[in-house]
């Protein structure tokens, strides 16, 4: 299956790229610059493409991102500290982000004669992000089937949609994913902060699956406090 992977540069999407490279035909990586404060993640997507020896395209949708105001990822709003599953993390929602990116990705895939578009949405995203949920994936596939009817038949490939981040790490390890060469932190500093929702989720996931965490965190122990506050 000739597959185009939507790759942010994060742990999930880079693990997915390695999975596709091992199990299918990796046609290339597609990334988006939407004005995210952690745009350094795109550098890690580029490194992944070089490592896997495939084309990498970064599509500039910063003008669209400026219109999606109010999110801590694209606006002058502080990224909250704490566990990913807490209500306050909803400030990190960029409205319709996945729908916008996937619509573009399907167009690119159709033009390149790819058979699938892969995205690394996973079970841990369901609480906060509606465009990561199985119902959205099913509806988007139906919409694209109609949009490309008679022109292309492209599958939306989401192997992680019902898995946890710990499951993804286990899968990534099986396929040789270099986790140190991935970026999760929403704050986009020189090091992973260790305190934002994505850092806490990342740190917890490595702990749950028992895989060594190679990440350099500014606060490597904050995740334990975040879990205690949730009563975990």
């Amino acid at each position: 299956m000739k597959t185009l992977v939507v790759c942010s540069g994060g742990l999930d999407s880079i693990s997915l790229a390695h999975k596709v490279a091992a199990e299918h035909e990796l046609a290339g990586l597609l990334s988006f610059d939407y004005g995210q404060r952690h745009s350094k993640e795109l550098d890690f997507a580029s490194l992944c493409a070089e490592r896997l020896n495939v084309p990498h395209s970064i599509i500039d949708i910063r003008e669209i991102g400026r219109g999606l105001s109010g999110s801590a990822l694209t606006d002058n709003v502080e990224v909250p500290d704490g566990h990913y599953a807490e209500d306050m993390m909803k400030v990190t929602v960029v409205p319709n982000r996945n729908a916008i990116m996937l619509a573009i990705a399907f167009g690119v895939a159709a033009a390149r004669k790819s058979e699938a578009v892969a995205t690394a949405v996973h079970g841990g995203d369901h609480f906060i992000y509606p465009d990561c949920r199985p119902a959205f994936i099913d509806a988007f596939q139906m919409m694209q089937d109609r949009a490309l009817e008679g022109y292309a038949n492209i599958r939306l490939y989401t192997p992680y949609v019902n898995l946890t981040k710990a499951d993804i790490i286990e899968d990534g390890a099986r396929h040789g994913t270099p986790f140190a060469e991935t970026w999760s932190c929403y704050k986009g500093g020189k090091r992973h902060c260790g305190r934002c929702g994505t850092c806490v989720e990342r740190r917890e996931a490595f702990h749950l699956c028992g895989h060594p965490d190679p990440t350099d965190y500014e606060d490597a122990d904050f995740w334990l406090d975040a879990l205690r506050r949730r009563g975990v």
Side-chain angles (χ1 to χ4, degrees):
M1 186 168 62
K2 185 178 179 182
T3 305
L4 180 67
V5 173
V6 177
C7 184
S8 66
L11 185 153
D12 307 327
S13 61
I14 287 183
S15 294
L16 178 59
H18 279 261
K19 178 183 183 69
V20 170
E23 298 178 353
H24 301 281
E25 178 185 351
L26 180 58
L29 306 184
L30 188 66
S31 303
F32 294 89
D33 182 350
Y34 58 94
Q36 62 269 46
R37 70 169 69 212
H38 57 302
S39 60
K40 67 180 296 177
E41 66 179 358
L42 299 173
D43 296 334
F44 291 86
S46 295
L47 286 173
C48 180
E50 291 175 13
R51 187 168 56 249
L52 296 176
N53 194 30
V54 294
H56 179 218
S57 301
I58 300 177
I59 296 182
D60 185 348
I61 56 170
R62 285 176 293 176
E63 189 60 38
I64 294 174
R66 279 189 282 272
L68 307 178
S69 58
S71 171
L73 304 192
T74 58
D75 214 334
N76 188 27
V77 178
E78 186 175 356
V79 176
D81 294 338
H83 197 279
Y84 206 56
E86 294 175 358
D87 278 330
M88 64 184 176
M89 293 299 161
K90 290 181 179 178
V91 74
T92 64
V93 171
V94 179
N96 239 28
R97 177 179 60 173
N98 278 357
I100 292 166
M101 293 178 182
L102 285 174
I104 295 171
F106 265 73
V108 172
R112 295 183 183 179
K113 310 301 181 186
S114 293
E115 298 168 286
V117 169
T119 184
V121 297
H122 65 88
D125 292 330
H126 297 175
F127 176 76
I128 302 173
Y129 305 116
D131 56 0
C132 292
R133 296 170 187 160
F136 167 79
I137 298 302
D138 293 343
F140 192 89
Q141 180 71 73
M142 186 179 299
M143 182 267 288
Q144 284 300 308
D145 289 345
R146 300 288 80 78
L148 294 170
E149 191 170 6
Y151 182 80
N153 183 17
I154 299 173
R155 174 187 174 191
L156 180 52
Y157 181 50
T158 57
Y160 299 152
V161 68
N162 289 310
L163 301 184
T164 67
K165 201 176 193 78
D167 293 330
I168 294 173
I169 291 172
E170 291 179 349
D171 188 67
R174 281 194 294 271
H175 296 108
T177 303
F179 297 117
E181 296 180 27
T182 67
W183 186 264
S184 296
C185 183
Y186 277 164
K187 295 185 181 180
K190 292 182 179 180
R191 302 161 66 195
H192 280 77
C193 73
R195 300 178 65 91
C196 71
T198 51
C199 280
V200 170
E201 182 198 38
R202 180 183 176 113
R203 184 73 181 85
E204 180 188 16
F206 275 106
H207 170 75
L208 289 173
C209 72
H211 193 283
D213 185 353
T215 314
D216 178 24
Y217 299 100
E218 291 181 6
D219 190 341
D221 296 325
F222 175 82
W223 72 285
L224 293 170
D225 293 331
L227 290 182
R228 279 194 288 267
R229 286 198 299 272
R230 291 190 66 232
V232 176

